[in-house]
Amino acid sequence: MKIARVDDLHCDAGWRDFSFLKITTDDGLIGWSEYNECYGSAGLTAVIRRLAESLIGQDPRPIQRITSTFHAITRQAPGGINQQAIAAIENALLDIKAKALGIPVHALFGGPVRDRLPLYWSHCGGYRFSNAAVLGVEPVRSLDDLIKLGKYVRDRGFKGLKSNIFRFDLDPPIIHQPGFARGPGHPQLNADGAVLAAITDGLAAFRQGAGPDMNIHLDTNFNFKTEGYIKVARACEPFGLAWLEIDSYDPEGLRLIRDRAPMPIASCESLFGRRQFRPYFENRSVDVAIIDVPWNGLVESLKIAAMADTYEINCAPHNFYGHMSTLMSAHFCAALPNFSVMEIDIDDVPWRDDLVTHPPVIENGELIVPTRPGWGADVNEEAVKAHPPRHPHP
């Protein structure tokens, strides 16, 4: 078996593009992966193409040898876009290898540990805030809307939801995201009284609508500095958060926040590889480590998770992409002993299901672990072509 062709496909996904890597062998097997260059990774496709040139004519199955070579030739610029490109290739090769053996990907790693994966509804309210017209739903514009949405999530059978920070006190209302240079508060990233009030008002609304048993997660991204995160954590105490999610490149500062926070701290979704995760584990900075499978690759993600397990830390996937990414993350969760909960975006463009041959199956707020060979689905190329991407990929 030899690699004969490497292609990338892209399609419109409303407020971003979905991107897929397709690797074809000389005997007709196709491996798929999903990657994303719409969030700070412009040019990722070009890096994938450059790395993949060397794959033509190679056996796709010795995946560790291939990725080790890629890490060696990118050693002077590790992480970042290079790592995302390596991960996209690695994940597509895993799909080929599992299909060649007639087994699901998780079986390559001793899975499944579990057959059903508890989910939390991510970006709850956020996509309805900014993209309601694309979704075909009513927009979120008030605290009353959050109450209604919380009840809707509960009635759909979900046991968890994750939201961002909504500023209904401003005209027009915004999602508070100064950490990404969106809206007021950048670059100082302070947690002032108005921001803290917006956080507590939003959490109170979700708690009222979703009820006392809902696991509520708050994602604060990169929006504050250490003292601000401590203020946020204290303000959130009455609402019984499942976790407070923080992005930080300072493991010691995050440990300080964790020591002073009355709820579990989740972080690390923006990190690459075991070397970046290690100081967060050594400093006991997190209660839950979030790992991005499209960024790290499934093989490296499982190695990170195994290292976390030695520190008694459970893991969760960072999964806010399309269905193929959800399937990739599901195989990660299925093979993972120290699993916490799985992230998933429920609100999305109406054509998302059309983009894969077998969309993920969700029952009562749980994802059924796929059992078909490979990831359990292929990309529907005709559906992808029917929705040209928002950004060109020459």
Side-chain angles (χ1 to χ4, degrees), residues 15 41 89 98 124 173 188 192 198 206 233 281 299 304 323 363 387:
W15 51 97
S41 299
I89 294 169
C124 193
Q188 59 270 18
D192 60 26
F206 271 123
F281 299 157
V299 176
I304 295 166
H323 278 334
E363 295 179 356
H387 300 279

Side-chain angles (χ1 to χ4, degrees), residues 293-347:
V293 175
W295 279 23
N296 284 283
L298 180 58
V299 176
E300 180 65 18
S301 295
L302 287 168
K303 292 177 181 178
I304 295 166
M307 184 168 64
D309 202 22
T310 66
Y311 291 89
E312 304 297 331
I313 296 172
N314 281 351
C315 299
H318 182 221
N319 177 50
F320 76 119
Y321 311 105
H323 278 334
M324 185 58 68
S325 172
T326 290
L327 293 170
M328 290 157 45
S329 295
H331 284 266
F332 168 66
C333 297
L336 183 64
N338 50 321
F339 166 69
S340 176
V341 65
M342 181 167 168
E343 177 176 24
I344 192 168
D345 279 341
I346 298 301
D347 287 334

Side-chain angles (χ1 to χ4, degrees), residues 135-147:
L135 299 173
V137 298
E138 291 297 317
V140 166
R141 286 292 180 270
S142 69
L143 292 170
D144 285 341
D145 292 332
L146 296 185
I147 295 172

Side-chain angles (χ1 to χ4, degrees), residues 123-165:
H123 298 98
C124 193
Y127 292 155
R128 297 183 179 214
F129 191 97
S130 305
N131 301 286
V134 177
L135 299 173
V137 298
E138 291 297 317
V140 166
R141 286 292 180 270
S142 69
L143 292 170
D144 285 341
D145 292 332
L146 296 185
I147 295 172
K148 294 175 185 176
L149 182 56
K151 183 178 184 302
Y152 179 71
V153 172
R154 183 192 66 194
D155 291 346
R156 288 279 302 272
F158 287 85
K159 308 300 189 299
L161 65 83
K162 186 171 78 176
S163 188
N164 302 97
I165 302 168

Side-chain angles (χ1 to χ4, degrees), residues 260-273:
R260 299 186 181 184
M263 74 285 292
I265 298 298
S267 188
C268 301
E269 70 181 25
S270 297
L271 302 183
F272 295 98

Side-chain angles (χ1 to χ4, degrees), residues 162-165 217-221 223 245-247 269:
K162 186 171 78 176
S163 188
N164 302 97
I165 302 168
H217 310 70
L218 179 66
D219 191 351
T220 55
N221 298 116
N223 292 326
E245 189 169 327
I246 295 170
D247 290 320
E269 70 181 25

